[in-house]
């Protein structure tokens, strides 16, 4: 009887193939195991040719294609059986909570686990739970003391309750690691608090440089989740839509790709070095610039960044955005931007990462001429009306009070804005004031 039998702990490979990366990851994410290269599925020893070449390929897989680096968990050995050479890999259970194939990132395709004699993709929930445990107690934002001690977290609790999470006031701060070892609120707590001392400036410049400011708003000094919602609503309002009605069906075109911009904003918030200062969003006549501080995280190369390999600087902050469903940690953000605009939109230095999103020149030109087209709802109305419309497009059931919080103005201002938009024929109410919703007329 053959001494080599494939099992939950043993993988047999007649010859080297690129799937060995997937198989190593699967064992690392499970309880470890052994891979024998040079033994077929029936346990017959067939041996390995070009041993040095295969050993180098395996070494490259271990050191370059798996994240985190698992070198200390893998031992390679040559075995001799029936006059032939076998390459044996002895893989321990990973010391980190989760491993992935770099080219796929922390997605179901990248994160596999050994079950029986096969490699199974992990579910997004499994990946999220395992990932949240990584690097958890090692972050600077858990150690750095907040600039104020009177922090409250009402908004954060509401966000979690709305997502179906049970919020226990007695253990809330401990569960979120909101205090450092000295018992003081930390930087993470300040970012998540209802009120804080952290600004977030949104600036529009009149021209293609910073010589003249045409508008300046600050969406900061509050919970970062609310800050993100305000930024998203404002950018949606800025995204001019023009409709070419000279063709059938009509063709809608936008000033910029909103999905790409949204990914850039999320990356800036989650990966920013908050010990330096807050990220910055600047709008010019021909482009938008989104800047985050700190450069690339330690251990990440430029090529890793372009390929979408996820290596968050702020794991605990990423956990919050994951829980809210705002990001997926699949590494698709940067590739989404590159697919639309190319690598050249990124400027990467040791101190910052800047993403320049160019505006669609045709949309700019058509919106100025306004000939043969209908300019979308973002033109000819004030900034509060634009923000309200962008919110109602996404969430028509929102109340005036909820919209006021998101936009950052009073409830009375929103009520007047809704009346104005209704008079202009841009929105209409469906159903009762208590249980109905708004419809945006485009």
């Amino acid at each position: 009887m053959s001494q080599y039998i494939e099992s939950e702990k043993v993988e047999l490979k007649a010859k080297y193939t690129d799937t060995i990366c997937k198989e190593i990851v699967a064992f690392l994410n499970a309880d470890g195991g052994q891979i024998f290269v040079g033994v077929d599925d029936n346990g017959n020893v067939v041996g390995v040719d070009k041993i040095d070449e295969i050993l180098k390929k395996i070494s490259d897989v271990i050191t370059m294609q798996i994240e985190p680096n698992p070198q200390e968990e893998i031992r390679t050995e040559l075995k001799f059986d029936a006059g032939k050479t076998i390459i044996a890999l002895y893989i321990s259970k990973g010391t980190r909570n989760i491993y992935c194939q770099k080219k796929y990132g922390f997605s179901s395709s990248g994160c596999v686990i050994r079950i029986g004699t096969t490699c199974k993709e992990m579910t997004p929930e499994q990946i999220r739970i395992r990932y949240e445990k990584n690097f958890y107690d090692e972050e600077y934002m858990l150690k750095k003391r907040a600039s104020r001690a009177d922090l409250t977290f009402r908004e954060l609790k509401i966000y979690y309750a709305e997502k179906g999470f049970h919020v226990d006031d007695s253990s809330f701060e401990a569960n979120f690691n909101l205090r450092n070892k000295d018992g003081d609120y930390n930087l993470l707590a300040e970012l998540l608090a209802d009120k804080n001392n952290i600004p977030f400036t949104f600036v529009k410049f009149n021209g293609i440089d910073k010589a003249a400011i045409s508008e300046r708003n600050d969406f900061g000094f509050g919970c970062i989740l609310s800050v993100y919602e305000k930024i998203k609503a404002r950018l949606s309002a800025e995204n001019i839509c023009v409709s070419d009605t000279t063709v059938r069906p009509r063709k809608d075109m936008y000033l910029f790709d909103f999905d790409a911009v949204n990914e850039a904003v999320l990356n800036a918030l989650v990966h920013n070095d908050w010990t330096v200062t807050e990220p910055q969003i600047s709008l010019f006549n021909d482009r938008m610039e989104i800047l985050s501080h700190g450069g690339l995280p330690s251990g990440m190369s430029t090529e890793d960044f372009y390929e979408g390999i996820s290596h968050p600087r702020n794991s605990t902050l990423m956990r919050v955005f994951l829980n809210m469903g705002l990001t997926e940690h699949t590494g698709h953000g940067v590739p989404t931007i590159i697919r639309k605009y190319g690598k050249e939109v990124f400027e990467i230095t040791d101190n910052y990462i800047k993403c320049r999103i160019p505006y669609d020149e045709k949309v700019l030109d058509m919106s100025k001429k306004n000939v043969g087209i209908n300019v979308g709802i973002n033109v000819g109305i004030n900034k509060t009306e634009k923000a309200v419309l962008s919110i109602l497009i996404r969430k028509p059931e929102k109340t005036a009070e909820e919209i006021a919080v998101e936009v950052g103005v009073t409830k009375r201002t929103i009520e007047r804005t809704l009346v104005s938009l209704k008079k202009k024929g841009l929105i209409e109410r469906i159903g009762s004031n208590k249980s109905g919703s708004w419809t945006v007329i485009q």
Side-chain angles (χ1 to χ4, degrees):
M1 182 176 178
S2 171
Q3 62 174 311
Y4 301 105
I5 300 174
E6 199 155 76
S7 67
E8 190 168 6
K9 289 278 194 173
V10 177
E11 173 69 23
L12 304 180
K13 296 178 69 66
K15 61 181 181 179
Y16 172 90
T17 65
D18 291 337
T19 61
I20 199 168
C21 179
K22 179 179 180 179
E23 290 148 1
I24 292 173
V25 168
F27 279 130
L28 287 166
N29 284 330
D31 293 320
Q34 303 170 24
I35 299 176
F36 296 103
V37 183
V39 181
D40 68 19
D41 291 341
N42 296 319
N44 300 314
V45 176
V46 295
V48 176
D49 297 323
K50 300 180 181 179
I51 295 171
D52 289 341
E53 179 182 328
I54 300 303
L55 286 172
K56 184 180 185 306
K57 287 182 178 180
I58 291 173
S59 176
D60 288 343
V61 167
I62 294 170
T63 57
M64 300 172 63
Q65 297 183 30
I66 299 174
E67 185 184 3
N69 190 308
Q71 281 179 277
E72 296 183 2
E73 282 76 64
I74 302 172
R75 177 170 60 88
T76 305
E77 178 180 296
L78 295 181
K79 293 173 63 72
F80 301 96
D81 194 339
K84 297 176 182 178
T85 303
I86 299 169
I87 298 177
L89 278 71
Y90 299 96
I91 304 159
S92 302
K93 179 179 180 179
T95 57
R96 305 299 285 272
N97 296 296
I98 189 166
Y99 293 79
C100 73
Q101 300 174 81
K102 275 190 176 182
K103 64 180 179 180
Y104 298 118
F106 288 94
S107 64
S108 292
S109 297
C111 300
V112 291
I113 188 168
R114 184 81 172 188
I115 299 178
T117 58
T118 60
C119 300
K120 297 291 187 181
E121 292 185 353
M122 297 173 71
T123 67
E125 180 69 4
Q126 288 175 312
I127 295 169
R128 181 184 66 79
I129 292 171
R130 285 191 176 217
Y131 170 75
E132 288 175 2
K133 297 177 181 178
N134 274 344
F135 320 112
Y136 198 76
D137 296 322
E138 302 172 5
E139 290 187 49
Y140 69 91
M141 63 168 47
L142 299 183
K143 301 173 183 177
K144 181 177 172 61
R145 188 172 64 183
S147 64
R148 54 192 291 179
D150 59 335
L151 302 181
T152 59
F153 306 96
R154 177 179 173 274
E155 288 185 32
L156 181 63
K157 292 176 182 179
I158 291 173
Y159 276 114
Y160 268 80
E162 288 180 344
K163 287 293 182 179
F165 289 89
H166 173 68
V167 179
D168 186 346
D169 286 340
S170 63
S171 60
F172 182 80
E173 292 185 359
N175 289 340
F176 279 84
N177 278 25
L178 299 181
R179 293 185 183 270
N180 61 23
K181 291 180 180 179
D182 297 323
D184 300 317
Y185 281 124
N186 53 32
L187 178 56
L188 175 66
E190 187 162 15
L191 281 168
L192 296 172
D194 299 324
K195 294 182 180 180
N196 55 44
N197 296 329
I198 303 173
F200 197 105
T201 306
F202 181 99
V203 183
K204 290 184 71 173
F205 295 94
N206 187 17
I208 60 173
D209 56 32
K210 295 186 176 181
I213 295 177
S214 64
E215 187 178 338
R216 182 187 183 97
N217 294 285
D218 202 311
F219 296 125
F221 304 109
C223 177
I224 192 171
L225 296 174
S226 297
V227 170
Y228 166 69
E229 290 293 338
K230 292 175 185 177
I231 293 168
K232 188 175 179 181
R234 179 57 193 273
L235 290 175
S236 179
E238 291 289 338
N239 197 13
I240 296 172
C241 172
V242 296
S243 300
D244 187 348
T245 57
T246 64
V247 296
R248 291 290 183 272
R250 76 178 193 181
K251 183 179 180 182
D252 292 336
M253 295 171 288
Y254 290 87
L255 189 62
F256 51 82
D257 185 273
F258 190 82
D259 288 339
V261 168
N262 185 52
E263 293 295 342
V265 171
L266 283 169
N267 283 344
L269 291 172
V270 173
H271 301 299
N272 184 66
D273 185 345
W274 290 92
T275 63
V276 178
T277 188
E278 72 280 358
Q280 299 166 14
I281 299 178
S282 304
L283 277 65
F284 301 86
N285 287 0
D286 62 344
R287 71 191 186 281
M288 179 190 310
E289 292 184 356
I290 302 160
L291 182 143
S292 62
H293 299 276
L296 294 175
S298 177
M300 173 177 273
S301 68
T302 303
E303 197 55 39
D304 289 342
F305 175 82
Y306 288 141
E307 289 181 5
I309 294 172
S310 187
H311 191 160
R313 186 191 309 278
N314 309 312
S315 300
T316 48
L317 185 59
M318 170 71 88
R319 179 180 75 122
V320 174
F321 278 76
L322 279 167
N323 287 341
M324 293 299 101
L326 299 175
T327 185
E328 299 175 352
H329 192 46
T330 57
H332 74 283
V334 171
T336 295
I337 298 169
I338 291 174
R339 193 179 305 115
K340 179 65 180 180
Y341 293 107
K343 292 181 180 179
E344 59 271 17
V345 300
F346 289 102
E347 179 184 343
I348 302 173
T349 74
D350 291 339
N351 298 318
Y352 66 82
I353 298 175
K354 183 185 291 183
C355 180
R356 293 186 178 91
I357 302 293
Y359 294 155
D360 188 304
E361 294 181 1
K362 190 172 183 180
V363 172
L364 283 174
D365 185 58
M366 292 174 72
S367 62
K368 290 175 184 177
K369 293 179 180 178
N370 198 16
V371 176
I373 61 168
N374 291 328
V375 180
I377 63 173
N378 296 316
V379 180
I381 55 180
N382 65 45
K383 66 180 183 180
T384 302
E385 291 174 328
K386 291 179 185 178
V388 171
L389 282 171
S390 66
I391 292 171
L392 294 180
I393 290 172
R394 294 180 290 110
K395 301 175 181 178
E397 74 286 353
K398 283 274 188 178
T399 65
E401 185 174 3
E402 291 171 331
I403 296 171
V405 171
E406 195 163 331
V407 177
V409 297
T410 66
K411 178 184 176 183
R412 180 58 182 156
T413 298
I414 295 301
E415 289 172 341
R416 289 197 298 266
T417 301
L418 292 171
V419 171
S420 174
L421 290 172
K422 190 173 181 181
K423 287 181 178 179
K424 292 178 180 179
L426 294 175
I427 61 173
E428 64 179 23
R429 186 72 177 176
I430 305 298
S432 68
N433 289 332
K434 185 176 181 180
S435 62
S437 62
W438 292 98
T439 295
V440 177
I441 304 169
Q442 300 189 48

